Amino acid sequence: RQLAEALSKLEGAIAQAQEGEMSATEKKEALDLLNELTKHAASPDRSPAVTKSLADGLWDKVKAAASVAKIATDVWPLVKHLWQ
């Protein structure tokens, strides 16, 4: 539940990112990665390696957007539990 709230918060931050922080394409790609990460996290037989790859890809998309990176940093410890 806590993870779901954290991912929802991150989704909101990505969607609200200003054009100067993330282009529309970058937002779409980040939201697509987040969606896949969320679906994968819900799978009972998820692969830790795939989960980490999805999360790493998402982080690469959001780390340069200050407003999103702050929230991502706050929720990342919960996300890391998916593959640790």
Side-chain angles (χ1 to χ4, degrees):
R1 181 169 188 261
Q2 210 175 13
L3 177 62
E5 289 174 7
L7 294 175
S8 178
K9 188 175 180 181
L10 183 55
E11 180 181 28
I14 294 168
Q16 297 294 320
Q18 298 298 312
E19 185 67 30
E21 287 188 306
M22 294 181 83
S23 69
T25 301
E26 289 170 327
K27 280 194 216 183
K28 182 181 180 332
E29 290 171 356
L31 289 170
D32 286 347
L33 281 166
L34 180 58
N35 183 44
E36 289 302 315
L37 178 61
T38 302
K39 286 194 292 191
H40 190 72
S43 173
D45 58 341
R46 69 178 175 262
S47 159
V50 172
T51 306
K52 186 174 184 323
S53 292
L54 288 167
D56 287 348
L58 176 60
W59 179 253
D60 284 344
K61 293 288 178 196
V62 303
K63 67 184 178 187
S67 65
V68 181
K70 169 153 183 20
I71 291 172
T73 301
D74 290 346
V75 304
W76 217 251
L78 291 171
V79 174
K80 286 175 105 173
H81 281 287
L82 293 173
W83 68 82
Q84 291 181 334

